[in-house]
Amino acid sequence: MRSLLVLVGSTLVAAIAAPAALGQLAPVTPESPNAESIRDSYLFVSIFVVGVFLLVEGLLIAFVVRYRRRRRERFEDGVQIHGSTKLELMWTAFPVVVLFLIGAFVFIELPGIKDPPSARASDELEVRVTGQQFHWQYEYPNGVIAIDALRAPAGVPVRLVVTAPEDDVIHSWWIPSLGGKIDAIPGRVTETWFEATRPGTYRGQCAELCGVEHAKMLASVEVLPEAEFAAWLRSRRDAQSARTSDLGEELWAGVCAKCHGLAGEGGIAPRLAGSATLTDRQAVEEIVRNGRRTMPAVGNDWTDEQMDALISYLEESPPRGS
Ligand code: CUA
């Protein structure tokens, strides 16, 4: 009887705490059609999960009460029941129907999750995404480079062509409100997409444990109205060519600082503040392109424009330590 009270008590506590906890379990508000399909599938499956949970736990509690030992001797057998065709049919058919419904629903939703809207393939934007220890690099069709923070137009399908360098590890690009995870696999190309419904900033993070600084591999997508985005992309293109963009600073903060510290104060990698190497263009390029000891060759596919941006930034504002 006492254990029954404990059971009822803890169930009550759980039930009271549940509404708060449920908010944490629910998927984020979808801001792209594929994220919407994922949310719908989640909710559809949840109906059965909650139903089965209540059914099983309800029966469990009912049986515990109804068939408790009462005054029967401890080792005396209870009533023996052999077979019940009706019951057996029910517990076989019910799971089959549930699994069929879930399977059918997911298969119906799947194309909407995987495939970008094909009717508008002509005006979609393609961005190349490279996952690397420990940053995301984005490359637009016109050669504009961005690190960690992607900018995208609202209402336009954005196709992401995702990969990772041959000598890197697997990462996973994930902005929950814009769709599911997609792995960035060394030497392979995977694809995903989103079509943001409205402007805003959507955050996510690398979803595959990829090393000590995995937690710093954040990603965000800033969605702008289409015209504003187009203007930004053009001006960024010009600024990048004219060597006046913020690319150098972005590279420092996104690529170097994750390990060497934002002020070059050191972290899992050596302190860079005050290092004479930083003022030696050739030495910096050599290390960034080829890596050194445990440092990966983060810049082996960088364009000269990109390399220049980092080196110029380091010359203009060398890290000063903390
Ligand atoms: Cu990249 Cu975790």
Side-chain angles (χ1 to χ4, degrees):
M1 196 59 207
R2 183 186 293 170
S3 53
L4 181 66
L5 280 177
V6 170
L7 178 72
V8 172
S10 51
T11 310
L12 275 177
V13 170
I16 291 161
L22 276 179
Q24 303 279 311
L25 286 176
V28 295
T29 312
E31 300 287 353
S32 172
N34 48 352
E36 223 163 274
S37 296
I38 290 172
R39 196 262 324 257
D40 293 348
S41 308
Y42 178 97
L43 293 179
F44 187 76
V45 172
S46 299
I47 293 171
F48 295 101
V49 169
V50 172
V52 168
F53 177 81
L54 291 178
L55 178 72
V56 171
E57 295 304 310
L59 284 176
L60 179 69
I61 292 170
F63 283 17
V64 164
V65 176
R66 175 88 175 74
Y67 300 105
R68 65 186 184 277
R69 183 156 62 94
R70 291 210 181 87
R71 255 158 277 128
R72 183 156 31 84
E73 282 305 312
R74 187 167 189 91
F75 295 106
E76 195 183 312
D77 285 343
V79 187
Q80 299 297 300
I81 301 164
H82 292 281
S84 164
T85 311
K86 205 166 117 195
L87 264 180
E88 284 164 19
L89 278 177
M90 266 167 58
W91 74 52
T92 306
F94 178 67
V96 168
V97 171
V98 169
L99 289 181
F100 176 80
L101 287 176
I102 290 176
F105 188 88
V106 170
F107 272 107
I108 290 168
E109 294 285 347
L110 206 53
I113 295 172
K114 273 177 63 74
D115 311 327
S118 53
R120 302 182 51 197
S122 54
D123 49 33
E124 70 178 21
L125 172 72
E126 187 178 300
V127 180
R128 198 175 159 78
V129 181
T130 308
Q132 231 169 322
Q133 285 175 321
F134 296 96
H135 64 277
W136 295 103
Q137 173 168 309
Y138 308 108
E139 191 181 343
Y140 293 88
N142 65 356
V144 161
I145 304 273
I147 303 294
D148 290 342
L150 177 74
R151 283 188 167 187
V156 173
V158 179
R159 183 190 289 271
L160 301 173
V161 180
V162 182
T163 190
E166 293 269 6
D167 55 356
D168 213 273
V169 300
I170 301 177
H171 306 271
S172 183
W173 199 81
W174 190 31
I175 306 288
S177 47
L178 297 181
K181 299 171 184 174
I182 188 77
D183 276 3
I185 303 168
R188 279 215 247 160
V189 174
T190 49
E191 277 191 16
T192 188
W193 67 283
F194 64 83
E195 184 181 334
T197 44
R198 59 195 176 115
T201 301
Y202 308 109
R203 296 178 194 288
Q205 112 138 70
C206 175
E208 182 71 54
L209 181 61
C210 54
V212 274
E213 300 289 40
H214 158 71
K216 287 189 185 169
M217 211 167 153
L218 304 174
S220 67
V221 177
E222 189 187 342
V223 174
L224 304 171
E226 202 178 337
E228 202 177 308
F229 169 79
W232 169 79
L233 193 61
R234 270 196 310 275
S235 70
R236 172 74 181 218
R237 173 65 275 171
D238 296 342
Q240 229 174 267
S241 312
R243 311 288 206 253
T244 57
S245 74
D246 291 333
L247 180 58
E249 190 178 351
E250 281 174 33
L251 288 166
W252 167 259
V255 183
C256 314
K258 302 259 174 68
C259 302
H260 292 283
L262 199 55
E265 72 274 19
I268 64 154
R271 180 185 171 90
L272 292 184
S275 161
T277 315
L278 289 186
T279 53
D280 181 342
R281 292 185 83 92
Q282 260 181 328
V284 173
E285 174 154 7
E286 151 72 19
I287 294 171
V288 171
R289 283 215 192 274
N290 304 310
R292 189 206 271 187
R293 288 196 288 273
T294 54
M295 173 175 158
V298 283
N300 64 351
D301 61 349
W302 284 12
T303 59
D304 291 339
E305 197 175 84
Q306 209 174 342
M307 190 62 73
D308 233 50
L310 175 66
I311 294 172
S312 303
Y313 173 74
L314 290 175
E315 281 174 355
E316 280 157 30
S317 31
R320 297 175 189 287
S322 42

